[in-house]
Amino acid sequence: MRRGIAATALVATLALAATACGGDTKDNGGDTQSGGELSGTVTWWDTSNDAEKASFQKIAEAFTAKHPKVTVKYVNVPYGDAQNKVKNAFSSGSEAPDVIRADVGWVADFASLGYLDEVPADTVKKVDAEFLPQAAASGKYEGKTYAVPQVIDTLGLFYNKKMLADAGVEPPKTLEEVKTAAAAIKAKTGKAGLYLRGDDSYWFLPLIYGEGGDLVDAKTKTVTVDNPAGVKAFKTARDLVTSGAAITNATDGWTNMQTAFKSGEAAMMINGPWAVADTYAGDQFKDKANLGVAPVPAGSVKAGAPQGGHDLAVYAGSKNRAAAHAFIDYMTSQEVQVQSAKELSLLPTRTAAYEQPDVKSSEMVQFFKPAVDKAVERAWIPENGSLFEPLKVEYTKAITGAATPEDAAKATGVEFRKILKGWK
Amino acid sequence: MAAHTSQSVAKAADVEGPQAPAVRGRSRMTDNRGGARRALATHWYAWAMIAPVVLVLGVIIGWPLVRGVYLSLTDANERNVARTIGANHIEATYRFVGLDNYADVLADPVFLQRLVWTVTWTVLCVSITFALGLALANMLNREFRGRAAYRMALILPWAVPGFVSVFAWRFLFNRDSGILNKLLDGGGISAIPWLDDPTWAKVSVIAVNVWLGVPFMMVALLGGLQSIPGELYEAAEMDGATPWQRFRHITLPGLRTVSMTVILLSTIWTFNMFPVIFLLTRGGPGDSTEILVTQAFREAFVSSPRDFAGSATWGVLILALLMIFALVYRRSLRKQGEVW
């Protein structure tokens, strides 16, 4: 506490000193919106993957063409470590970025901790009027808007058209069909049917939605992962692996999945639009037409994929907030969204972008748009991102046979209730 | 060597004899009362010299330690500690909860699971590392062609930054494309799920840690070996001692001081070996390779809001365990007449 007082005193002194000797520092902060030109540096932490980052860096740096006095500092932070890095930077304040690309599941968390700057009122109006409503919902916390949606996504079943044709099977619509298709593929080509990612719990979501379940029910404040539908989902995951329909790994899942699918070791995988650019780089997809996408296979109840995506948000402690917000406006503008849809097959969050010829001509976007419209919206609660880690532990245990599906579901429920204090 | 041992025994008896603590305690009290001021007057420069060190140690070790212990007695987390973010200044609202955190951690079966695996991991790693280090040191402690090259090669793991080696091993262990499984496949053996199966993952993390730890053991023990006078071996050989007898009765006692120290150090390092576990398996698959420190990390940094109090509790418990271990170890050494 004493340290708190000392720190406050220090900050106060510094603030006094800064305002006393540098009038123009303040101008960069809040007042510029009314008139003056934006200047300074905007540091952006981007979490896009290896196949996407070059394109985003180019787009981001082009901001300078509109605002010559603003320098954009582009930093790519690998998605896996980003949540922790962002938190470290935000809580210590040193070397913190001005703008972050946040997974939709992180926004409420960061906002609840006081890390995010509210989006200016005129941008909020635009977000509410011109963006897909389910995307806009992810940037809000307790009625206020903290982030602007950049891209939206969901999961689909990627398949190798040629391999499926060789095995004489149609793209499967249910997990039962996946098993029959996998057996046929194995018999004809000796390759695996499905690669099911086993080291990331996001890939568990279609399985639990498929059984009519969900992780939690935010309306009634109930943990639902350990109910019968949840248990069934863990069983299904295990069954896909033991039956030989799917191959999996408990580590390096992303790399192994992409390698297996791109090289034709596996004929199908479940993945999102962010994987398209990387997949096209694979041997099997030199002819882009060989890549097919279908809705995620249904479980015993229905087919369901989670709504994902990324939002852009400004750090509350940023020294250059006006420029940072202007940068976000630019990054979520129609032309930038159309460009990333065209180059990377990423889905725009602006309703009108889907009318653009470049977007309309992208087969992937055309596939994923209806899928996104039907995607299961997750509970936008601060704990959202925290649920994935304990779920991952148990999902991996279940899929590798280290725990029974029943125990895995039960243990996940126990951990969830530790995180969500007071929930049923 | 004999002289050396007896000397240390004598020293031990001298300082740490049965009646030693009483003597030491009394003399300190009587001396200090009148002598403190005089000591300060005559040795003020010595005090002045060590003051910066004491200060720095206090700031970088003492303060965080005290703070950590204090936090473990509160319910502090990321949401209720004081912080200033831009214009927002948030006051601290956490409160003192006494030993509740300790009760929670100790009552949680997870703690016992982690403790059992941490101890297993430490014992296995240290004993295998020590055995290999000793064997290699003995092999290198003789004249042969290319000795320098061998030494360089064996010290290499030490020279490579830890995370680089761990990532390299991760590639080797990869089940689908790793070189280890490619080799096994070539030999007609089916692929081993190195990092995907709880037992194999344990074997893998131990193997990597041993690989990283052997150079230090080897160099330290080699130094110890070279300080054993050659005449002892000559004399023993004259007396007709077999190689095993020479190893058993000259090498091992001669290495005792060195080995006791390296075993203690190695135990403490291994007990807290965060990077190997975290980078190789992230504690997985599931949570099967999670040790106490990685669990403490998980408490503090993985779920949100970050639980500072919970993590501090784990940290204090780890520290307490290591201190108990060091005390017991020291006592057992003292019984054997070793002093360090």
Side-chain angles (χ1 to χ4, degrees), chain B residues 156-169:
Chain B
L156 195 70
W158 204 7
V160 181
F163 73 96
V164 176
S165 342
V166 177
F167 280 128
W169 275 97

Side-chain angles (χ1 to χ4, degrees), chain B residues 12 24 63 133 140 162 190 206 222 233 259 261 274 279 307 314 317 333:
Chain B
R24 200 164 54 171
W63 169 242
L140 285 176
S190 64
I206 291 176
L222 193 55
Y233 289 101
S259 50
T261 313
F274 181 83
L279 297 176
D307 185 1
W314 282 82
L317 285 170
L333 286 191

Side-chain angles (χ1 to χ4, degrees), chain A residues 81 84 87-88 109 112-115 248-252 256 315-317 386 389 393 396-397 400 402 418, chain B residues 67 78-79 83 85-86 88-89 108 170 174-176 195-196 198 282 285-287 298 301-304 306:
Chain A
D81 308 325
N84 246 322
K87 277 191 153 197
N88 288 344
D109 182 23
S112 75
L113 293 166
Y115 291 153
T248 188
N249 288 90
T251 42
D252 288 323
N256 285 328
Y315 174 45
S386 307
E389 187 63 26
V393 168
T396 308
K397 274 192 195 170
T400 55
K418 277 191 207 162
Chain B
R67 177 109 187 131
E78 200 174 15
R79 196 158 285 160
R83 59 198 184 278
I85 299 135
N88 311 347
H89 178 70
D108 193 342
R170 213 168 126 156
N174 191 309
R175 189 173 68 182
D176 298 340
L195 301 176
D196 290 357
R282 294 244 162 184
D287 52 2
R298 194 182 276 257
F301 294 110
V302 172
S303 68
S304 182
R306 292 174 169 183

Side-chain angles (χ1 to χ4, degrees), chain A residues 260-302:
Chain A
F261 187 68
K262 277 150 72 178
S263 64
E265 286 299 314
M268 299 176 274
M269 68 169 174
I270 290 171
N271 220 330
W274 64 87
V276 173
D278 183 53
T279 305
Y280 279 147
D283 285 349
Q284 293 280 319
F285 303 99
K286 286 211 176 96
D287 173 17
K288 289 185 178 179
N290 193 32
L291 176 63
V293 212
V296 290
S300 59
V301 177
K302 59 166 188 173

